[in-house]
Amino acid sequence: MQKISEEEAYEKEKKKVKLYRDILESLVVIFLIVGIITAAFNVTFGGFTPIIWFLVSFWAILIIICMEITMIRAFLERKKKNC
């Protein structure tokens, strides 16, 4: 069984986080557009009022921020360990 190095594990995790971030960024845009449209027409879509769409969008933004902070922390810890 081949053991992967810490550097390879970090790069693999970085690619996975980037994929998740890209997906969440797309969802943020979609939820914002749906929220704006439902607010403009004063309708509900999928049983959700416009404020719910905006809150879901904000929730996704918070997850993106938390993932970025985690990656910055991992980078700084890896940098500190290599010095």
Side-chain angles (χ1 to χ4, degrees), residues 8-56:
E8 290 171 344
Y10 173 77
E11 290 298 324
K12 186 177 179 181
E13 189 68 23
K14 192 167 97 173
K15 286 181 184 178
K16 188 168 47 169
V17 168
K18 184 177 178 342
L19 174 67
Y20 292 152
R21 188 188 70 218
D22 291 342
I23 292 170
L24 283 171
E25 286 174 351
S26 300
L27 288 176
V28 165
V29 171
I30 291 168
F31 292 149
L32 279 176
I33 290 172
V34 171
I36 291 169
I37 290 172
T38 56
F41 292 127
N42 197 20
V43 295
T44 61
F45 181 71
F48 296 112
T49 60
I51 192 69
I52 300 297
W53 290 108
F54 294 129
L55 289 175
V56 171

Side-chain angles (χ1 to χ4, degrees), residues 12 71 76:
K12 186 177 179 181
M71 287 307 294
L76 293 175

